Amino acid sequence: MPVLTNIGVLYTCAGEGGQADVHPVKNAALVWQRDKIVWTGRETDLPDQYQQEETVDAQGGAVIPGLVECHTHLAFGGWRSDEFELRSLGRPYIEIARAGGGILSTVRDTREASEDELVEKAMGHLTQMRKLGITTVECKSGYGLNQEDEIKLLNVYRRLDVMQPLDIISTFLGAHMVPPEFKDDREAYISLLIREMIPYVADNQLARFCDIFIEETAFSIDEAYTILSNAIDYGLLLKLHVDQLSAGGGAELAAELGAVSADHLEYISDKGIRALANTGVVAVSLPLASFYLRQPALPARKLIESGVGVAVSTDFNPGSAPSYHLPFAMSLACTFQHMSPAEVLKGATFYAAKALRMEDDIGSVQPGKRADFAILDTPSVNHWMYHFRGNICRSVYKDGIQIV
Ligand code: NIG
Ligand code: FE
């Protein structure tokens, strides 16, 4: 039963309390057995029964739960740095999308890539992500947009889940956009989603969640209602990309359908905030997407004041958020979303776990939870978020085993 000692400060990030309650314990110790935490507290209070166990020295560092990355589009073919150049010079994201670039450009590259190529590329990202302290990663399909290529992406995630230590949680995003071959017959694509793709994904347990992009260039509220109701019938949990580029009533739909999370929300209306209030739907903020697309930040203060938990994630994808650097996203959330470092830490741990409906298992360092934690070279969460450096993570444990 290893004991982690000499922890400068342990942020347990237990769910109790509000967004800012990260429950710090100074001069702490942590005990785990196999893949589970068994004790946490002040080192001076370490029970006798653990005194003789093997120790690991945290060297005065801060310890946090393994970061939970709750929204990525991890596997994709190609990159879109040419669009980044255009956007840097002022061309709007939506205009590039309307001209056939954007998501559809990645769909072309992803269809061309083999499953093995996608596995290898995504594996490279996961290897870097774990070094940042991330221990769980949600991954969406959505760049295949036909049965064969959507399943290819979900198979990539299934393979990655067994090939490397991070937990991979898959989401079916066949409703990311209507693919070009159905542009004159959207009904036929929606019918394919409902009659074939969603049933196949659910029957073969290829994903836990079904997601959709609600936007003028993607799907309408009515179409989303039809598709998501079908996903519920097949036992999939819901996540929604909503109110990203305009206020479209997506948050209200997420509340109505009992979604696990509503993601983006840069343009959420006051009505949308009222709809989410006290429903338990997690608002997933994606500050890198706001940053790269020069969109307004999600109104975190209003959401938190209304009793909505706010998660923080990267949205890693080749277009709107081409970075998997979650600590960078967290730092942006402090500056642009007006969240305190503690609120952001709880957003990338407990609330991110809640956005995956896994908060009983991960996202906090408490007895009974999985032994997923990271040791950071910083005196406090405030200092970490304020003095931004490439990577301050010293080591990472996943299911009780050191992986970094
Ligand atoms: O979450 N909003 C929709 N989908 C992605 C963008 C994907 C892309 O640009 O390739 C997002 O921002
Ligand atoms: Fe996204």
Side-chain angles (χ1 to χ4, degrees):
M1 233 182 284
V3 184
L4 184 66
T5 57
N6 196 13
I7 301 172
V9 56
L10 167 67
Y11 295 101
T12 71
C13 299
E16 290 77 39
Q19 182 92 28
D21 292 314
V22 287
H23 308 284
V25 184
K26 286 201 174 135
N27 304 315
L30 178 170
V31 185
W32 74 100
Q33 184 173 31
R34 291 188 286 276
D35 60 342
K36 293 277 192 307
I37 310 272
V38 295
W39 186 88
T40 65
R42 291 176 64 86
E43 193 171 333
T44 47
D45 296 336
L46 186 70
D48 285 349
Q49 66 195 105
Y50 305 127
Q51 296 284 353
Q52 302 309 319
E53 300 287 346
E54 159 209 352
T55 58
V56 179
D57 187 351
Q59 298 177 336
V63 171
I64 58 166
L67 295 171
V68 178
E69 170 54 274
C70 68
H71 180 141
T72 80
H73 306 250
L74 186 79
F76 52 84
W79 288 95
R80 291 177 5 225
S81 56
D82 48 344
E83 290 183 8
F84 176 72
E85 183 192 18
L86 293 175
R87 292 203 315 270
S88 300
L89 293 170
R91 190 107 182 260
Y93 177 72
I94 194 121
E95 207 183 288
I96 295 172
R98 281 200 199 102
I103 293 170
L104 293 183
S105 137
T106 299
V107 169
R108 288 190 287 276
D109 290 341
T110 304
R111 286 178 176 179
E112 271 173 30
S114 70
E115 194 176 297
D116 286 349
E117 284 165 350
L118 293 167
V119 165
E120 195 187 326
K121 182 171 169 185
M123 183 71 174
H125 304 322
L126 288 172
T127 305
Q128 298 306 316
M129 289 162 87
R130 77 158 106 153
K131 292 183 193 161
L132 296 167
I134 296 167
T135 48
T136 301
V137 184
E138 185 265 6
C139 300
K140 300 176 197 298
S141 67
Y143 289 127
L145 305 189
N146 59 39
Q147 176 128 347
E148 184 191 338
D149 292 297
E150 283 294 302
I151 290 166
K152 177 173 76 179
L153 285 167
L154 294 173
N155 276 333
V156 166
Y157 297 143
R158 179 173 272 186
R159 283 172 61 184
L160 288 168
D161 191 38
V162 291
M163 280 170 72
Q164 54 78 55
L166 307 196
D167 273 334
I168 304 294
I169 311 300
S170 299
T171 296
F172 174 62
L173 180 57
H176 201 182
M177 271 188 98
V178 173
E181 59 275 23
F182 284 96
K183 89 173 172 351
D184 299 320
D185 193 0
R186 336 177 25 95
E187 287 302 318
Y189 186 63
I190 292 169
S191 156
L192 182 69
L193 281 168
I194 289 176
R195 289 186 218 287
E196 290 178 38
M197 291 162 81
I198 289 175
Y200 186 91
V201 167
D203 289 348
N204 291 282
Q205 296 180 345
L206 282 168
R208 181 180 303 182
F209 294 97
C210 182
D211 198 341
I212 189 163
F213 183 24
I214 298 178
E215 196 60 57
E216 180 215 310
T217 48
F219 292 90
S220 70
I221 291 282
D222 288 347
E223 290 168 340
Y225 187 89
T226 307
I227 294 164
L228 297 176
S229 303
N230 178 263
I232 293 174
D233 291 345
Y234 278 93
L236 295 170
L237 299 169
L238 305 184
K239 294 182 150 292
L240 284 76
H241 279 72
V242 288
D243 302 331
Q244 180 187 11
L245 307 170
S246 56
E252 291 88 323
L253 183 67
E256 184 185 340
L257 292 176
V260 176
S261 72
D263 303 36
H264 277 294
L265 304 174
E266 285 88 335
Y267 284 94
I268 188 173
S269 64
D270 286 345
K271 189 161 161 267
I273 294 175
R274 282 196 299 277
L276 289 185
N278 304 313
T279 54
V281 179
V282 178
V284 176
S285 68
L286 303 165
L288 280 165
S290 316
F291 169 73
Y292 274 105
L293 300 186
R294 278 188 227 98
Q295 294 291 323
L298 149 153
R301 289 261 61 85
K302 280 191 183 175
L303 285 159
I304 292 168
E305 278 156 22
S306 305
V308 181
V310 177
V312 180
S313 164
T314 61
D315 194 18
F316 176 46
N317 73 71
S320 63
S323 170
Y324 46 67
H325 204 301
L326 183 53
F328 178 44
M330 292 165 69
S331 203
L332 290 176
C334 295
T335 308
F336 294 110
Q337 293 175 190
H338 299 281
M339 291 171 75
S340 72
E343 288 177 326
V344 163
L345 177 60
K346 196 145 172 186
T349 54
F350 176 78
Y351 288 111
K354 195 168 176 210
L356 299 177
R357 207 164 270 180
M358 291 177 76
E359 70 276 21
D360 291 340
D361 206 28
I362 60 168
S364 53
V365 177
Q366 286 180 289
K369 302 278 164 78
R370 297 253 282 275
D372 294 359
F373 53 89
I375 305 172
L376 309 178
D377 177 21
T378 189
S380 69
V381 65
N382 278 356
H383 201 271
W384 179 25
M385 291 292 103
Y386 140 86
H387 176 39
F388 182 76
R389 286 176 284 162
N391 188 8
I392 61 152
C393 186
R394 279 199 203 129
S395 51
V396 183
Y397 287 74
K398 170 82 191 107
D399 292 323
I401 293 167
Q402 185 170 10
I403 58 167
V404 173

